[in-house]
Amino acid sequence: MIMALLWLPFGDNQFPPILQLVIIWIPFIILIVYGQKIQAWTILGEVSRYLNKLKMFRDKARVTMLNYVQKKGTTAEGRARFEELIEFVTILPVDLDPVGIVKKLDHVLTTQDIQLKEEVARLLPRDSTEIERSCALNMVEVAAALNSIYKVVRHFYILGKKSSNVYILAQLQMILPTLLRQAEALVSAMKALEEGQPLGDGVGPLVVSHLMKDVKKVKIARETVMAELEYKGRKLALIKAEGPQGSVGKVDEALINLLNGHYSDASTIIMIDAALKLEGEKTGEVAEGIGAAIGGLGVEKFKIEEIAHKYGIPLYAIIIKESIIEAISIMKKEIAESVDEVKEAVLRIVENKVPYGGKAIIIGVGNTLGISQ
Amino acid sequence: MEELERRENIVSIEECPRCGLKNKRKFQQGDYVLKQSGKCPKCNIPMYIKLIYAEPFKP
């Protein structure tokens, strides 16, 4: 009887109406009513897998950092304090009235920098080296960055799950592959930090370190060194962060000190830095241009542009292209091997733009971990 | 996670300041750029580490 009903002819259409209902109409209605929920469940599953990976990276970074400081001789109390430092927050100044915000930002960031450095130095044994302290500090920063990424993703995951809001989840799903790549790079940076290996970001200091190899170095600003070099009748002032400990130094202050001192008549300032490449560009490609080549929140860039403008000195930039991931990972072969090409470019600019007997300032911008001078 | 750590070989490139002879070796803990490291087999003077970088993993 049922079989007969199933195969009951329906007009000219020989397809059984009950099967039509089951195969076409019921799924159609289910998709209309529950489509968004089904999509949300699918995305939730994918986001949940990403979240687990991010948690794994965060935990790995945390454990690596804690093992490192324990190996360097911190106490149980110190270890607990290091765990707390992962949650350290910096509240940026209000920008409702942007006048003077750079000075306020500079003040907040300098305070944060000093505070973290002092805290790490206090928690490690007194006989620990500068390199060990800087490595521990950089590891705290990386662990904190991974912790922050994980917590933000988890926040939106829970929010999307609670509200079954497919739009929140879809946005999260779209940015997660990029976030995961950055997290991977941060985790691999932990290994470099632990062993004091140069990062991709250190290519600027690397070039300057080769230029200042055989000349006397002096400290010119906090964690920043300077050397003077004679080149074909020109006087070159070379600036980089003090290595081989992990630091970006205060190259802006070093430049201000030089310009307010013996180099106020400099003909040119040349800045060397790693810069973000666009997809499709080759890693380690060198490009020349104009402007202040320095990243960060913009405080140093602002100060450098201000002082260069005050003295009317042109700013030349030499950038070495790399991805954000390559910048925070161990330096790649292609980046390291661009050093000779960058050196040639620097010296060519000096010959072309600085008259005989003139002066130039050359700044290597970036983290100088694993790079001495 | 292990894959992340095994994808690259970290090497130190030593160079003789006199004859420019280069020597590639595995990175050792404590290495840094411009550190004196080993002796040049030709000139018998200390070499220095010119570069430290990661290259694709070769088993």
Side-chain angles (χ1 to χ4, degrees), chain B residues 4-40:
Chain B
L4 268 178
E5 289 166 6
R6 289 186 54 197
R7 277 195 299 228
E8 289 165 333
N9 278 334
I10 315 299
V11 295
S12 297
I13 308 293
E14 298 169 330
E15 190 177 274
C16 172
R18 190 179 293 164
C19 69
L21 181 90
K22 285 193 176 82
N23 175 43
K24 183 159 119 178
R25 64 163 171 81
K26 214 175 159 188
F27 174 86
Q28 289 164 4
Q29 185 93 39
D31 277 359
Y32 57 82
V33 173
L34 298 191
K35 182 188 177 187
Q36 283 198 351
S37 165
K39 275 194 174 176
C40 173

Side-chain angles (χ1 to χ4, degrees), chain A residues 15 26 36 118 130-131 146 181 186 191 194 255 270 289-290 300 307 325 335 338 342 344 352:
Chain A
F15 197 67
I26 292 177
Q36 215 176 52
E118 283 178 359
E130 194 60 46
I131 299 176
L146 280 165
R181 282 175 66 210
L186 283 167
K191 182 90 181 140
E194 200 178 357
L255 178 69
I270 305 169
I290 304 290
E300 295 93 345
I307 194 88
I325 292 152
I335 301 168
S338 68
V342 179
E344 279 171 27
N352 293 340

Side-chain angles (χ1 to χ4, degrees), chain A residues 61-69 82 86 136 139-140 143 190:
Chain A
R62 194 178 132 270
V63 168
T64 311
M65 185 268 286
L66 291 173
N67 285 346
Y68 180 82
V69 292
F82 268 109
I86 296 176
M139 286 168 102
V140 168
M190 288 298 271

Side-chain angles (χ1 to χ4, degrees), chain A residues 9 43 81 119 173 176 184 186 189 238 267 282 284 309 334:
Chain A
I43 299 174
R81 182 70 188 131
E119 195 70 9
Q173 187 194 25
L176 268 173
E184 269 184 19
L186 283 167
L238 309 161
S267 306
K282 266 174 70 183
H309 172 253
E334 300 90 320

Side-chain angles (χ1 to χ4, degrees), chain A residues 19-48:
Chain A
L19 272 186
Q20 261 192 43
L21 190 74
V22 171
I23 295 170
I24 301 168
W25 295 109
I26 292 177
F28 183 67
I29 292 162
I30 289 174
L31 279 177
I32 285 181
V33 179
Y34 296 106
Q36 215 176 52
K37 276 204 186 303
I38 293 170
Q39 203 181 355
W41 290 333
T42 319
I43 299 174
L44 269 174
E46 199 182 331
V47 172
S48 166

